[in-house]
Amino acid sequence: MRVFKGEVTALPPDKSISHRAALIGALSEGITEITNFSGGFDNQSTLSVLKDAGITLLQEESDGTNSRRIRKVVIESRGLWSFQPPSAPLMCNNSGSTMRMFSGILAAQPFSSELIGDSSLMKRPMKRVADPLRQMGANVELSASGTAPIRIHGTQELKPIEYRLPVPSAQVKSLVAFAALHAEGESRIIEPVRSRDHTEVMLGLETFEQDGERIIVVPGRKGIAAKPFYIPADPSAACFIVALGLLARGSEIIIRDVCLNPTRAAFLDILLDAGAGISIENQRVIGGESLGDILVRNSAGIEPLLISDPQLIAFIIDEIPMLAVLSAFATGQFELHNAAELRTKESDRIDAVVVNLQRLGFDCVQYPDGFIVKGRIMTPSGAVVIDSFDDHRIAMSFAIAGKATGAALDITDIHVVGVSFPNFFEMIDGLEVR
Ligand code: S3P
């Protein structure tokens, strides 16, 4: 069994907050300085579509090639209508956040545009994007199966909207909010199940509870004054390092300056409830976001995880593959319900986790909204080929299990980790005690 020890100070900056900081910068009046922007491929896609749509990036100061972060991004804009008609389709690569959130902005611009992505993104559902934007008065075309390319014929005359989210999705919430900023009048977004709230926090939007639902109020045409953003480390990336520390007995890792926004850090509560040796230190608030250090000390292992609460699932949607693989390897068991959304991510993450756990000898059964792991029937003797399905979180979840246990795993298209965590392997190798 391997052991991992040390201090992590180089986690990638948060992917969700990085996207929003760039998009909000492009919507603001003045100069937006972003410190600690993620160097992951997805966030690069957001910067490149902004440039292709006429936004000026004054500075992109990088740490070098394949860097986990760009030290500083500086955006100059004149406000809500500063975009120019792109000369070609906007390439979002693997980034659903880029495609969906930027659609909300493009719907309000007085020109036509088209958004495309890689083969994974071109299969993901986009009707959830088109529906609210059409209700607001934009003309949005999708493929016959409701996927990209998204062709948007925008209008400066968007109508305000009262929109109840049909699925808990922070991307959809954000695209409606970005569109609504341009509408004449106040919009309301209703969340029956809450999702990550960075957009509301960063835009300073009013929110309140009503009949068990969350209401977000978006004023139209108010103008946004540019302000600086600092991006804390990504909790979804931290989850992999936490799992590494919990799986490899005798490990002790401290992860610094991680975003601990309660809509993102619920995986830590789940692990604490399961008896994991985790503590949070040095908690503080910067720019409305809570952050702190996570100390992982493997002592007693964890109890098997059973996850079924829809609200909890919305808060841990990106961490479920890692939690499932962790629980399977640590206890032989795992159970998930009410998580059909996982089938719409960069891959069908229910199928991807189950197929790969089966290859590793686990007894798993999947159903439409989840799966169950009932034990390990056999331990494979040779190297096992793990299919990443070109999905960064699938690749990293299994890579962690391999690194922690020493299991020989041959993971396909492993470079995909760069979508959100370019220095993933470098970091793990640096923590290993030899
Ligand atoms: C994200 C929201 C989630 C998450 C994605 C990032 C965001 O997607 O899975 O990785 O930054 O808003 P959904 O909005 O589709 O749930």
Side-chain angles (χ1 to χ4, degrees):
M1 192 57 105
R2 299 164 177 195
V3 174
F4 298 84
K5 290 196 173 177
E7 180 183 13
V8 170
T9 55
L11 213 61
D14 188 64
K15 178 161 89 69
S16 292
I17 304 180
S18 294
H19 285 302
R20 287 160 173 79
L23 295 170
I24 294 172
L27 292 169
S28 300
E29 288 159 24
I31 293 182
T32 299
E33 236 186 72
I34 309 169
T35 305
N36 219 22
F37 190 89
S38 170
F41 303 154
D42 268 12
N43 293 113
Q44 302 315 300
S45 297
T46 288
L47 293 185
S48 79
V49 298
L50 285 177
K51 282 189 267 190
D52 291 347
I55 295 298
T56 309
L57 264 71
L58 294 178
Q59 196 183 334
E60 266 180 90
E61 195 187 308
S62 178
D63 279 350
T65 23
N66 276 344
S67 163
R68 68 179 177 96
R69 66 165 186 170
I70 304 178
R71 246 172 307 187
K72 190 149 280 186
V73 171
V74 183
I75 297 174
E76 184 177 30
S77 179
R78 283 167 288 102
L80 297 172
W81 281 282
S82 301
F83 300 83
Q84 299 297 322
S87 56
L90 296 163
M91 173 41 94
C92 304
N93 300 301
N94 195 242
S95 180
S97 299
T98 306
M99 179 175 275
R100 291 183 175 140
M101 294 199 277
F102 199 35
S103 294
I105 295 173
L106 291 169
Q109 308 301 320
F111 54 75
S112 296
S113 52
E114 182 175 338
L115 294 136
I116 55 172
D118 68 7
S119 59
S120 151
L121 185 51
M122 296 299 275
K123 287 191 218 110
R124 297 180 66 185
M126 295 298 155
K127 191 172 168 297
R128 58 183 68 188
V129 171
D131 284 348
L133 295 177
R134 285 172 181 154
Q135 283 179 39
M136 294 178 84
N139 178 348
V140 181
E141 295 170 50
L142 304 175
S143 77
S145 52
T147 58
I150 308 183
R151 291 198 187 88
I152 300 176
H153 309 287
T155 168
Q156 272 183 308
E157 306 305 322
L158 281 186
K159 297 188 285 268
I161 189 170
E162 180 168 310
Y163 194 65
R164 178 174 274 99
L165 290 167
V167 280
S169 163
Q171 292 174 356
V172 176
K173 169 173 60 180
S174 302
L175 79 90
V176 176
F178 289 145
L181 289 171
H182 300 78
E184 198 158 2
E186 185 180 283
S187 295
R188 288 185 172 219
I189 305 170
I190 304 159
E191 280 193 302
V193 176
R194 289 182 61 195
S195 61
R196 64 191 68 188
D197 65 0
H198 307 299
T199 301
E200 302 89 294
V201 170
M202 295 169 82
L203 285 171
L205 299 178
E206 180 197 342
T207 62
F208 59 93
E209 304 289 327
Q210 191 174 284
D211 305 328
E213 298 181 318
R214 181 89 160 175
I215 319 290
I216 299 130
V217 183
V218 188
R221 301 196 177 171
K222 214 173 125 221
I224 306 164
K227 62 174 185 182
F229 292 112
Y230 163 80
I231 322 264
D234 193 329
S236 304
C239 179
F240 295 110
I241 306 300
V242 169
L244 179 74
L246 293 177
L247 265 181
R249 291 264 157 154
S251 296
E252 187 169 330
I253 307 172
I254 182 140
I255 314 166
R256 301 282 185 204
D257 305 327
V258 183
C259 172
L260 295 175
N261 177 320
T263 66
R264 297 291 302 285
F267 72 95
L268 291 169
D269 302 325
I270 291 177
L271 290 171
L272 281 165
D273 284 349
I278 295 174
S279 57
I280 306 295
E281 301 178 352
N282 201 14
Q283 207 162 340
R284 59 210 189 273
V285 175
I286 299 183
E289 292 285 1
S290 150
L291 60 153
D293 303 336
I294 305 171
L295 175 64
V296 190
R297 230 190 242 127
N298 181 335
S299 40
I302 59 163
E303 297 289 317
L305 302 179
L306 188 166
I307 301 171
S308 63
D309 172 24
Q311 179 57 83
L312 199 54
I313 286 167
F315 286 166
I316 60 163
I317 195 73
D318 289 340
E319 290 73 61
I320 292 174
M322 185 69 262
L323 293 176
V325 172
L326 167 62
S327 182
F329 271 83
T331 73
Q333 292 170 51
F334 178 74
E335 192 169 345
L336 176 72
H337 300 273
N338 295 317
E341 260 302 284
L342 277 186
R343 295 196 184 273
T344 71
K345 297 293 175 185
E346 287 85 328
S347 69
D348 174 341
R349 287 184 175 158
I350 291 178
D351 189 60
V353 173
V354 167
V355 163
N356 286 314
L357 284 177
Q358 282 168 340
R359 289 184 189 179
L360 286 158
F362 288 93
D363 179 9
C364 312
V365 181
Q366 59 173 298
Y367 27 84
D369 69 345
F371 59 98
I372 183 166
V373 183
K374 291 184 279 187
R376 200 162 187 179
I377 318 166
M378 52 121 188
T379 310
S381 47
V384 177
V385 175
I386 296 293
D387 194 337
S388 70
F389 294 91
D390 260 329
D391 180 334
H392 56 134
R393 297 199 198 282
I394 297 299
M396 289 190 280
S397 300
F398 285 93
I400 289 291
K403 290 282 181 189
T405 63
L409 306 184
D410 180 4
I411 303 174
T412 62
D413 294 310
I414 193 68
H415 61 273
V416 75
V417 304
V419 160
S420 62
F421 202 155
N423 57 333
F424 177 75
F425 286 107
E426 188 188 312
M427 178 173 291
I428 293 168
D429 289 346
L431 289 168
E432 188 167 354
V433 178
R434 288 170 205 276

